[in-house]
Amino acid sequence: MQQWLSKGLQLCCSSRSQDCEIGALICKMIYRKCIIPGKAVISWSNGQSLGDVSLYSAGCETLNSSIDFILMLKQAVDKHLKTTTAFSKDVAPHTPVYGIILAIQRCVSCLLLDLPNVKTNDELKTLIASLLELSAKAIRLNSLVTEQEEVNPSLADISEAMERRGGQSVGSITITAEQHYLMACYWLTIKESMTLIGVIAKQVPNQWLSSIAVQIADQLVVIITRCRHRGILEATTLAASQFFQRLLLSDCEVTRLIPNNILEKVFVGINDLSAMASITRRSAGLPLLVVTILAAEPRHRKDLLKDAMSRLLSTASRREADALGENVDLPQVHALNSLRAIFRDATLSPKTLQYVDKAVMLSIDGFSSPAWTIRNSATQLFGVLVDRLLGQKDLERDSPVGTSMTAAQLFALYPNLQTYIVQQVLHTSHVCGSGALSMHPGTFPLLALLSRLAMETTVTSKHNSEAYVMLSKGLEQLLISPVFRVRELAAKSLLTLMSGTDSMHQLVKCLQKISEGCSQRFCHNGLHGQLLLVKCLVEKLARNIQDEHSFVSLVSDLLFTRLLWLGCRENVSNVVKALYLEICWLWTMRTNQPWNRLSVLGIDVLYNLEQCSNSDKHSIGRCKLDQMVASILVNSSLHQASRANMATSCLGQLLCTDNADLHTAAVQAFSECKEPDVLKEVLVS
């Protein structure tokens, strides 16, 4: 065992974290199998190095020998901390202590778990207090802080401190291997020290908790709010979660109020504009601290969460001060970041649903803030809220997974949100009606939320309500918006307000509206918006209406007869023409209609494209139009029974054309063909 102990202590002093882990496990094995049962004791004296520690056989169990082993490891850390006031490049590589702290952590965990009489031992209580002081000292001496230690360091401050301690001129962009190693020493020492505090906080007897709770809480808060290392933050947060759970369940009222006091200090600090530092400095750790405390609250209590949500929503809705510099921590930013962390936490999800409507309205209003930091935080919060409400999106199918919530269900849960959405849409539609290009910055995320809702299955009384009618009219007005993506999202949002049984009527009504308004056909934004709505309806209905022969015949007649002018030369908008061709293609494919009418339409458009001048070849939407024409002609040739048809005769024209865009689109259509044998037959013919 002596050899095993010597090797384990040697590995604990290694500069490699893997060696330290192995060494700590060896020390834990010897401590648990030999020292605690009293089978062996150690022989050492103050001033000795770890290499001089001896292990002797013993005959009885003794708590003093268990404490002595930990004191021996503690002395090694104390010796290092007294040697230097802070880590330097000369000391760190030769005497790293994070491995020894890791060994202390493992042994303390065994001691508190395996010995039943630890509650009444004063020596062990004194040892625990000294270990907390040791951890605090190690954290303080290894923290990369600025000269103003009362100010939380920014990322830039940490970088400059690392350069100064590494012997490098401030501002240099090169980082040596020695500096990388030095940073590893800093972070690992802090991480293992915090893990040791976490072990003590989790396993210390309840009788001792009240005397050391404040000391432990202060260390946890300092690390969470000042550290910038993700691994350390996660380790500290895990320890803090278990610790705060014990505090909130304590019988001592003073101990039970410690988390409340910490939250109070957090909210006071959030609203303090006197701290001048990087905007990233505290939001990195503050949301974690807030969530950790709130998640630790017992299920039957909601006092902390209710108070925290009220104060955070109030702070985030405050109007920002004028003429603030970029280096000022805005309270709204910290509040928005904290709200985002709260809504992301799965354990708090059932308790926070009642605040979703207020948070959604708050985040959308944040898009119009003049401060970039607020807009950025509002964007992140809005993304979390949409996922919390509707579920995440399936990127492969481009559709929301598990999004079964309809507009009626959403507005029934959050009536205030319905009123807000209607007001915002009506205001934006009024601006669009005046022809202005600018609109409220929250318009796009608002439409994105509505477009993610599920389509109604049946018509309900709510569809005839004043709010539904006003919202539908506002969205219809947005179909003429000069912004392409607004028209697209408005069409998808209108689809969610329709029921499945009413969609066929809406499709016919929309097509008739376009055909009746042909005298105003050169209002291209309005035409494009209406066609986008038609496309959404076709994609939604085409798979389920193959047995509705009269309906299919009516829609086909409207598309290929009364709306044929959309594909003619008089329609100069390539964007509208390409979308019209795409709708015709989708309808033909999904309803198994004959390809002859689509083929003729594609040939006519191809002829018109060949007659265009060179300036027209570079107009907006021309590339998309070329792709649609090529796809229509290729697919028409493949699906028609007669291979020697007009579409087939145009394939050679596509491949030999001088129009580079048409040629590229044809090659791409050929490459995407799923029937190579049929394609070969067509090309040969």
Side-chain angles (χ1 to χ4, degrees), residues 288-305:
L288 288 175
L289 180 60
V290 173
V291 170
T292 301
I293 295 177
L294 297 181
E297 188 177 21
R299 293 184 178 181
H300 61 278
R301 293 173 51 190
K302 296 182 181 180
D303 300 336
L304 290 179
L305 178 64

Side-chain angles (χ1 to χ4, degrees), residues 577-597:
K577 191 178 298 184
L579 181 57
Y580 169 67
L581 292 179
E582 185 178 2
I583 293 172
C584 293
W585 184 30
L586 286 171
W587 182 259
T588 301
M589 291 185 63
R590 297 193 178 186
T591 58
N592 296 322
Q593 294 296 298
W595 283 79
N596 56 333
R597 287 192 291 186

Side-chain angles (χ1 to χ4, degrees), residues 18-259:
Q18 297 89 341
D19 293 345
C20 293
E21 184 74 26
I22 296 173
L25 289 175
I26 293 175
C27 291
K28 175 184 176 181
M29 178 191 68
I30 296 174
Y31 188 73
R32 190 167 191 176
K33 298 295 184 182
C34 299
I35 303 298
I36 292 181
K39 297 179 181 179
V41 295
I42 60 169
S43 175
W44 66 284
S45 60
N46 291 331
Q48 282 185 319
S49 63
L50 292 179
D52 298 329
V53 176
S54 300
L55 193 65
Y56 296 98
S57 299
C60 61
E61 177 181 347
T62 170
L63 180 59
N64 291 333
S65 62
S66 302
I67 295 177
D68 288 343
F69 189 87
I70 298 177
L71 287 175
M72 176 264 297
L73 297 175
K74 174 182 174 296
Q75 182 201 23
V77 180
D78 277 328
K79 181 179 179 181
H80 168 79
L81 298 180
K82 291 178 181 178
T83 302
T84 177
T85 56
F87 260 136
S88 67
K89 65 177 182 177
D90 296 325
V91 177
H94 301 293
T95 58
V97 294
Y98 47 82
I100 306 175
I101 297 176
L102 178 59
I104 295 176
Q105 171 203 138
R106 299 291 174 82
C107 294
V108 169
S109 179
C110 292
L111 180 62
L112 294 176
L113 286 175
D114 292 351
L115 290 183
N117 59 340
V118 296
K119 300 179 181 179
T120 59
N121 191 280
D122 293 334
E123 292 186 19
L124 182 57
K125 185 176 180 180
T126 303
L127 173 65
I128 295 300
S130 64
L131 290 177
L132 290 175
E133 294 177 1
L134 177 70
S135 300
K137 185 177 181 181
I139 292 170
R140 183 175 64 256
L141 293 180
N142 289 279
S143 296
L144 290 171
V145 296
T146 59
E147 295 179 358
Q148 298 178 331
E149 295 190 2
E150 70 280 0
V151 178
N152 297 328
S154 66
L155 296 176
D157 296 330
I158 292 176
S159 177
E160 293 179 2
M162 188 268 290
E163 290 173 353
R164 285 193 295 267
R165 295 191 182 185
Q168 188 178 8
S169 59
V170 176
S172 176
I173 61 175
T174 60
I175 299 179
T176 64
E178 191 174 26
Q179 287 177 314
H180 278 292
Y181 175 70
L182 189 63
M183 288 295 294
C185 288
Y186 294 147
W187 297 132
L188 286 172
T189 302
I190 297 175
K191 179 181 178 181
E192 299 306 337
S193 299
M194 285 311 306
T195 307
L196 175 59
I197 293 177
V199 169
I200 296 175
K202 178 182 178 181
Q203 300 180 1
V204 71
N206 291 328
Q207 292 85 339
W208 302 351
L209 185 61
S210 58
S211 61
I212 60 175
V214 175
Q215 184 181 0
I216 295 176
D218 290 342
Q219 286 299 318
L220 294 173
V221 172
V222 166
I223 290 299
I224 292 177
T225 56
R226 297 182 60 131
C227 186
R228 294 294 166 268
H229 192 278
R230 188 66 183 179
I232 297 177
L233 285 176
E234 291 176 352
T236 307
T237 303
L238 179 61
S241 176
Q242 299 168 342
F243 175 62
F244 289 138
Q245 287 179 5
R246 294 192 64 185
L247 294 184
L248 291 170
L249 294 174
S250 175
D251 296 331
C252 178
E253 184 178 359
V254 176
T255 304
R256 195 168 54 249
L257 289 177
I258 291 178

Side-chain angles (χ1 to χ4, degrees), residues 390 400 446-454 488-490 492-493 496:
L390 309 177
L446 193 63
L447 294 176
L449 172 62
L450 291 175
S451 65
R452 289 278 301 274
L453 294 171
E488 186 177 42
L489 288 176
K492 293 181 179 179
S493 300
T496 63

